[in-house]
Amino acid sequence: AILERYKEVSLSLDIFYLNGIPFLRMIARHLMYRTTMPLSNVRQETLLKKIKTVVNEYAVRGFQVKQIHGDNQFTCLTDQLAVPTLGITFYPVARNSHEPFIERDNRTNKDRCRCIYAGLEFKWIPKRMIMEMPVAADFWLNYWCSSGGVSDVVPPRQILTGLQLDAKKHCKFQFGEYILAHEETDNTLKQRAIDAIYLRPTGTPDGAFWVMNIATGQRVRRRAGTSAHMTTIIIDQVERLAQSEGMPEGMIMQDRDKVTILDFDTASVASIDDDDGASDASYLPSDDESEATDLTEFITDNEEEMDEDAIIHNYNIGARAHTHPHTHTHTHNQHTPTEHNNHTHQHTTTT
């Protein structure tokens, strides 16, 4: 059985930045189960809390995390991980080098993120979408059996959660798709749906999913939704939300020192900017006292929408920009550029 043979788990971990947002990423050797979590900061206590969350996730299914491999930046956690309640040994890599197992898999995640971005209608991406993009990429990677994994028929996430993917429930929409997320309502005049951008499944058996409320930028959970045509009004609203949060145009990937990663092919190009060639020579113990980012307000237990006044305020901002006749461009979501052009059709309306 898988549990008997691979009960003791060895993890590799790393930190990377996407549009300035830090992420802690881990992968289990042999099991090939990936975990990505956005961080409000990279302080020692925050990293330890996230690692404990992942360790508990393995423990629920009977696995025991015994080893963690990572860069020298995580040596500050050695004593906290070695306490009897955890019993984890941390193995740092040599100075000026990086843990190869997680570094290589980071590339896979980044490639998936680039593919997702290429299919989006937006040039500026709000923080909530950026925070969910690598997580969504790993969600689907965990449902593919890896050639280096422990099973050819049971995917890593099913091993760790016991839940089998149902295409009819979990594959209704794609990341970045504009949908009308259905609201639970009674027999009144309350709105039946909200304008939302689909993010990813929650992974629960009922097929619930996470969406971003376009009016507020907050993540909300829904059980049902209807796909809708993307319009310029929706695109403008999402991009305006991203710009108000100070997000850059496009997608910028960086290492722990916020040096832009170009991910050149090491087989043909030798570059200091390459992902595997990134150096931690500048690491200092004082780096553990990192300042908090501005993501604290996004990473919170309260994942529901803002109050009604805030929603109205957000929509009023967008409404003033569209009070004159204009042209809507409807496109079908997630097409290739060629398909996108073939399916684009315009009609003039008056708001």
Side-chain angles (χ1 to χ4, degrees), residues 172-173 179-183 207-209 222-226:
K172 295 179 179 179
F173 312 106
I179 70 172
L180 298 177
H182 299 174
E183 294 273 60
F209 49 83
R222 291 293 180 267
R223 293 185 301 174
T226 302

Side-chain angles (χ1 to χ4, degrees), residues 230-237 240 318-330 345-351:
M230 186 77 74
T231 67
T232 54
I233 290 181
I234 299 301
I235 295 174
D236 290 345
Q237 176 68 12
R240 187 163 45 248
R320 288 195 294 270
H322 298 281
T323 56
H324 53 80
H326 59 283
T327 300
H328 286 184
T329 301
H330 289 192
H345 55 278
Q346 296 185 340
H347 65 272
T348 303
T349 60
T350 302
T351 303

Side-chain angles (χ1 to χ4, degrees), residues 158-223:
Q158 187 172 335
I159 294 175
L160 262 294
T161 64
L163 299 177
Q164 188 172 3
L165 192 69
D166 187 334
K168 293 182 179 179
K169 294 180 179 180
H170 301 101
C171 303
K172 295 179 179 179
F173 312 106
Q174 298 187 60
F175 185 95
E177 185 175 350
Y178 169 50
I179 70 172
L180 298 177
H182 299 174
E183 294 273 60
E184 294 183 1
T185 182
D186 48 20
N187 191 23
T188 65
L189 295 179
K190 293 181 180 179
Q191 64 177 11
R192 261 57 173 181
I194 60 171
D195 293 317
I197 299 298
Y198 180 83
L199 299 174
R200 60 183 175 89
T202 62
T204 53
D206 63 348
F209 49 83
W210 295 112
V211 299
M212 183 190 74
N213 188 332
I214 294 177
T216 66
Q218 297 296 305
R219 187 181 73 167
V220 294
R221 175 177 173 150
R222 291 293 180 267
R223 293 185 301 174

Side-chain angles (χ1 to χ4, degrees), residues 183-314:
E183 294 273 60
E184 294 183 1
T185 182
D186 48 20
N187 191 23
T188 65
L189 295 179
K190 293 181 180 179
Q191 64 177 11
R192 261 57 173 181
I194 60 171
D195 293 317
I197 299 298
Y198 180 83
L199 299 174
R200 60 183 175 89
T202 62
T204 53
D206 63 348
F209 49 83
W210 295 112
V211 299
M212 183 190 74
N213 188 332
I214 294 177
T216 66
Q218 297 296 305
R219 187 181 73 167
V220 294
R221 175 177 173 150
R222 291 293 180 267
R223 293 185 301 174
T226 302
S227 181
H229 292 300
M230 186 77 74
T231 67
T232 54
I233 290 181
I234 299 301
I235 295 174
D236 290 345
Q237 176 68 12
V238 172
E239 290 186 343
R240 187 163 45 248
L241 175 63
Q243 291 168 356
S244 69
E245 296 170 345
M247 299 303 288
E249 180 180 358
M251 197 168 62
I252 303 173
M253 295 179 177
Q254 300 170 313
D255 62 17
R256 71 176 302 275
D257 294 318
K258 295 190 176 181
V259 176
T260 301
I261 297 172
L262 301 179
D263 284 347
F264 288 136
D265 182 5
T266 53
S268 59
V269 180
S271 170
I272 60 174
D273 293 320
D274 185 82
D275 208 359
D276 290 338
S279 173
D280 64 352
S282 61
Y283 171 75
L284 297 172
S286 59
D287 290 343
D288 296 331
E289 302 300 327
S290 303
E291 296 182 359
T293 68
D294 57 351
L295 294 178
T296 305
E297 60 178 300
F298 291 89
I299 304 177
T300 173
D301 293 334
N302 182 14
E303 297 289 3
E304 293 303 315
E305 303 94 356
M306 295 179 181
D307 56 58
E308 186 175 355
D309 291 338
I311 296 175
I312 294 174
H313 173 70
N314 275 324

Side-chain angles (χ1 to χ4, degrees), residues 9 19 29 36 58 60 66 98 107 115 123 131 133 162 206 213 236 243 245 247 260 267 271 289 295 341:
V9 177
N19 281 14
R29 303 188 182 192
T36 301
Y58 283 91
V60 169
K66 291 296 185 180
H98 281 247
R107 282 197 172 188
C115 292
K123 294 182 179 179
M131 291 167 63
M133 189 182 294
D206 63 348
N213 188 332
D236 290 345
Q243 291 168 356
E245 296 170 345
M247 299 303 288
T260 301
S271 170
E289 302 300 327
L295 294 178
N341 293 334

